[in-house]
């Protein structure tokens, strides 16, 4: 069991707990297939030949399974929401990856692993759900070996016309309606939450701030790739000290 949660952690757990059964299918439908492309672009930056990879905010193990399929590495997925992890366990078993992928409950801000334990690390849609993104990045760096690569995927906000107004209309109007139609009240709640939450996050923590935060956490060669006209952000960097 992860340690006691509060604030953004508790909200994230309560938001995602009802979603696992249809999470992966609806995430693809409601993102017009972009979620899978963004994940693949992130994984491209981190896959080592072997070793151990940590996937933080692993959810239903979609990224963890990709990492295992594209390498000989062992993968550990950690997530706050145990309902998501149970669905992930079913997916891992169905894929015959039980000997390669391990899922554990835990918090990104206080990972249950020793210093320098992992050869690579990924995280997805994480920083909007933690109290202190800078401290969380430092904790992720702590468990990564010097010279190891970290990559992340987050939603982003398009810049300028016409894409920013179109993104605003989709996230505020079409996404909640689509969530309600395809997934019921739980997905309607997610749809209502996402757009305002993403906008608020980038008002407080714009992309240049995030790049600097990675650097202050001990990462070098930090790169960014804006995807899908600004809807997604993939980042990567190397843990200093190799």
């Amino acid at each position: 069991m992860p340690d006691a949660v509060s604030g953004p952690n508790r909200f994230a757990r309560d938001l995602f707990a009802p979603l696992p059964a249809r999470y992966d299918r609806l995430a693809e439908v409601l993102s017009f297939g972009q979620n899978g492309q963004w994940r693949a672009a992130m994984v491209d930056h981190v896959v080592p030949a072997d070793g151990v990879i940590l996937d933080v905010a692993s959810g239903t193990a979609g990224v963890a399974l990709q990492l295992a399929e594209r390498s000989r590495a062992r993968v550990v997925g950690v997530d706050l929401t145990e309902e998501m992890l149970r669905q992930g366990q079913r997916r891992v078993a169905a894929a015959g990856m039980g000997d390669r992928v391990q899922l554990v409950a835990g918090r990104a801000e206080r990972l249950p692993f020793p210093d320098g334990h992992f050869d690579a690390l990924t995280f997805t849609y994480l920083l909007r759900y933690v109290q202190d993104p800078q401290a969380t990045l430092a904790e992720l760096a702590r468990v990564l070996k010097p010279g190891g690569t970290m990559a992340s995927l987050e939603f982003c906000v398009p810049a300028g016309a016409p894409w920013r107004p179109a993104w605003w209309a989709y996230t505020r109007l079409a996404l909640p309606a689509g969530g309600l139609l395809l997934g019921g009240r739980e997905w309607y709640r997610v749809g209502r939450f996402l757009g305002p939450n993403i906008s608020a996050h980038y008002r407080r923590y714009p992309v240049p701030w995030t790049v600097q935060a990675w650097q202050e956490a001990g990462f070098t060669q930090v790169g960014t790739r804006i995807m899908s006209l600004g809807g997604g952000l993939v980042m990567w960097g190397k843990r200093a000290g190799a």
Side-chain angles (χ1 to χ4, degrees):
M1 292 284 291
D3 51 326
V5 298
S6 60
N9 278 180
R10 182 183 296 277
F11 178 83
R13 186 188 62 186
D14 294 345
L15 183 70
F16 288 102
L19 306 184
R22 289 179 288 176
Y23 178 82
D24 297 281
R25 180 172 62 86
L26 288 181
E28 289 303 308
V29 170
L30 294 173
S31 70
F32 299 104
Q34 299 306 295
N35 181 63
Q37 294 183 39
W38 298 346
R39 284 179 173 182
M42 175 188 68
V43 169
D44 285 343
H45 286 283
V46 299
V47 175
D50 48 27
V52 187
I53 308 173
L54 178 64
D55 179 43
V56 180
S58 196
T60 59
V63 170
L65 286 168
Q66 281 192 39
L67 291 165
E69 290 164 358
R70 294 177 57 180
S71 73
R72 298 189 302 272
R74 292 187 298 111
V75 182
V76 178
V78 61
D79 198 274
L80 181 70
T81 306
E82 295 192 39
E83 291 86 350
M84 299 287 274
L85 288 174
R86 284 196 287 271
Q87 177 68 12
Q89 294 282 15
R90 289 189 283 269
R91 295 188 66 196
V92 169
M97 287 283 187
D99 60 335
R100 299 270 312 284
V101 178
Q102 175 189 6
L103 302 179
V104 299
R107 299 172 57 218
E109 300 98 315
R110 191 176 177 182
L111 293 167
F113 309 110
D115 295 357
H117 186 67
F118 295 97
D119 298 280
L121 188 152
T122 58
F123 67 88
T124 51
Y125 309 128
L126 170 67
L127 296 183
R128 290 178 295 110
Y129 300 106
V130 298
Q131 189 71 44
D132 187 339
Q134 180 69 75
T136 300
L137 288 166
E139 173 67 356
L140 299 176
R142 179 187 67 78
V143 302
L144 187 61
K145 292 178 180 177
T149 301
M150 183 167 81
S152 72
L153 167 61
E154 299 282 356
F155 290 117
C156 200
V157 179
W163 305 118
R164 191 183 188 104
W167 176 88
W168 191 98
Y170 178 71
T171 58
R172 268 57 170 193
L173 303 174
L175 185 60
L180 180 62
L181 178 65
L182 297 174
R185 294 178 62 86
E186 293 88 356
W187 278 89
Y188 174 73
R189 183 185 179 207
V190 172
R192 285 285 304 273
F193 163 78
L194 276 178
N197 177 260
I198 296 166
S199 295
H201 177 82
Y202 284 102
R203 283 194 297 269
R204 187 172 183 183
Y205 305 112
V207 175
W209 180 95
T210 309
V211 171
Q212 184 176 349
W214 278 54
Q215 294 167 339
E216 291 180 2
F219 289 91
T220 63
Q221 304 175 45
V222 178
T224 64
R225 179 183 175 188
I226 300 294
M227 300 193 67
S228 303
L229 305 173
L233 171 66
V234 173
M235 293 187 62
W236 61 91
K238 285 192 175 295
R239 179 75 167 91

